[in-house]
Amino acid sequence: MSARRRHPRTRENRLLRLLARLEREPRFDPVAETLGAGIRSLPLGRARDVLHGTWLGHPVHPLLVQVPIGSWLSAAVLDLRKDRPREAGLLVGLGLAAAAPAALTGAVDWAELNPPHKRVGLVHALSNTAAVALYTASLACRATGRTRAGRTLGFLGLTAVGAGGMLGGHLAYRQAAGANHAEAVPHLVTEGWHRIGALDDLPPGLPVRRSVDDVPVMVLRGTDGAIHALADQCSHLAGPLSEGTVSDGCVQCPWHGSVFRLSDGLNVRGPAVAPQPAFEARVVDGQVEVRLRGQDEEEEEAGEPSEAGHEHIH
Ligand code: FES
């Protein structure tokens, strides 16, 4: 068998190349930036984190879009059968009502993304806006007895929302917007204590970057002498926490402002919806050692006594 036959797919298909070009297309960045700044300045307070999904541990947006998509898809099935025009209209209306909260959660997430995500997200939003416009027109037609036109507009709306859904999938799975960018840390860091350098090399009050098993770790020697260590790459989009700002026992990511508690990595403020893996720290012979939090519990559960006799600074 030839190499060509064994590996028939030697490059990405046309759709993926088109999407890659869209990710790199800067033409609409000024519009996206203005829109993003407007969304970020909305006076949402703590509701912003509710919309991001900090309470849920993952973004709320993918959950909420199920309602309009499901309603409109169901309406399309009834429209194909042509025997339940009233119920089809009700489903179109339900989808429109559910589209508003779904769009709001998507907008607050989108406003905190990086430019390549924003470019794809903008077209995703435009497709879905077109779908809402088509379904609104469809509902108006159905309400005024023009059922056939209502059905046609509904099918066009479903096409638009399908395109929007495909772009949303690209954004979530290909570009990993909304995914936990710190998820791999517990799988990469081996069990036990890891030496990361001399205590004297840690500047008090300033976060620095070290590494454990090639995983970047933000280490902070507090002005009170306590040592804190969190995975350096922010769970939101992998921003460097070691370049962030520290205050009130938390570190703020320099990229989109997520705030994590130093003591345990809790995501105190979004857009990050997942906590940051945290490490315990100790000093042995003037050297700082860290161990991923939770590993001692696993050891104890397995019947192994935890280490004692060392100075635990934090
Ligand atoms: S990378 Fe976005 S808040 Fe950290």
Side-chain angles (χ1 to χ4, degrees):
M1 188 183 285
S2 73
R4 187 176 165 77
R5 288 195 64 188
R6 271 188 272 120
H7 304 286
R9 202 178 146 273
T10 54
R11 60 179 186 160
E12 293 181 326
N13 65 37
R14 191 175 296 183
L15 174 64
L16 288 174
R17 274 183 281 146
L18 200 66
L19 288 168
R21 270 174 57 190
L22 174 60
E23 288 178 31
R24 294 192 300 269
E25 173 57 66
R27 216 172 312 171
F28 300 108
D29 286 0
V31 178
E33 274 317 307
T34 307
L35 205 56
I39 293 167
R40 286 194 299 275
S41 68
L42 289 174
L44 294 171
R46 301 300 296 180
R48 188 177 295 275
D49 279 353
V50 174
L51 295 169
H52 281 310
T54 51
W55 57 278
L56 187 61
H58 62 79
V60 179
H61 179 66
L63 200 66
L64 293 193
V65 299
Q66 307 302 316
V67 185
I69 293 173
S71 302
W72 291 336
L73 194 59
S74 305
V77 172
L78 295 183
D79 280 344
L80 282 174
R81 291 174 56 93
K82 296 184 182 173
D83 58 351
R84 297 279 179 96
R86 191 167 170 276
E87 286 79 359
L90 277 174
L91 285 166
V92 167
L94 176 64
L96 282 170
L104 184 59
T105 54
V108 294
D109 287 349
W110 173 83
E112 307 285 2
L113 295 175
N114 294 336
H117 302 115
K118 279 210 179 90
R119 292 166 191 149
V120 176
L122 195 61
V123 183
H124 164 74
L126 286 173
S127 295
N128 290 333
T129 303
V132 167
L134 287 161
Y135 274 112
T136 303
S138 168
L139 192 62
C141 286
R142 292 167 201 260
T144 51
R146 291 171 291 159
T147 309
R148 192 168 166 186
R151 280 193 199 114
T152 305
L153 287 164
F155 290 130
L156 290 173
L158 192 64
T159 306
V161 85
M166 182 274 293
L167 289 163
H170 184 85
L171 197 52
Y173 299 111
R174 180 86 173 195
Q175 295 181 280
N180 175 5
H181 286 255
E183 197 280 333
V185 171
H187 309 298
L188 296 173
V189 173
T190 50
E191 282 187 20
W193 292 96
H194 302 265
R195 196 159 278 202
I196 57 166
L199 177 66
D200 289 346
D201 290 344
L202 295 180
L206 272 184
V208 293
R209 182 175 163 127
R210 296 285 184 268
S211 63
V212 172
D213 289 335
D214 290 332
V215 173
V217 176
M218 180 221 75
V219 185
L220 175 77
R221 179 185 182 185
T223 47
D224 59 354
I227 297 175
H228 301 288
L230 298 179
D232 190 45
Q233 294 188 327
C234 175
S235 66
H236 178 232
L237 282 176
L241 295 188
S242 53
E243 293 172 24
T245 48
V246 174
S247 67
D248 297 332
C250 295
V251 59
Q252 181 164 36
C253 178
W255 282 9
H256 313 99
S258 290
V259 176
F260 300 96
R261 197 158 63 194
L262 289 165
S263 58
D264 59 1
L266 182 82
N267 48 321
V268 175
R269 206 170 83 203
V273 289
Q276 205 62 9
F279 294 78
E280 294 173 84
R282 70 182 185 184
V283 178
V284 180
D285 301 330
Q287 297 291 315
V288 180
E289 296 182 349
V290 296
R291 174 172 72 172
L292 197 61
R293 275 186 178 275
Q295 286 184 340
D296 53 339
E297 288 154 28
E298 282 167 26
E299 276 175 18
E300 278 163 23
E301 273 169 30
E304 295 172 32
S306 60
E307 290 189 44
H310 292 289
E311 180 189 0
H312 285 245
I313 284 199
H314 172 247

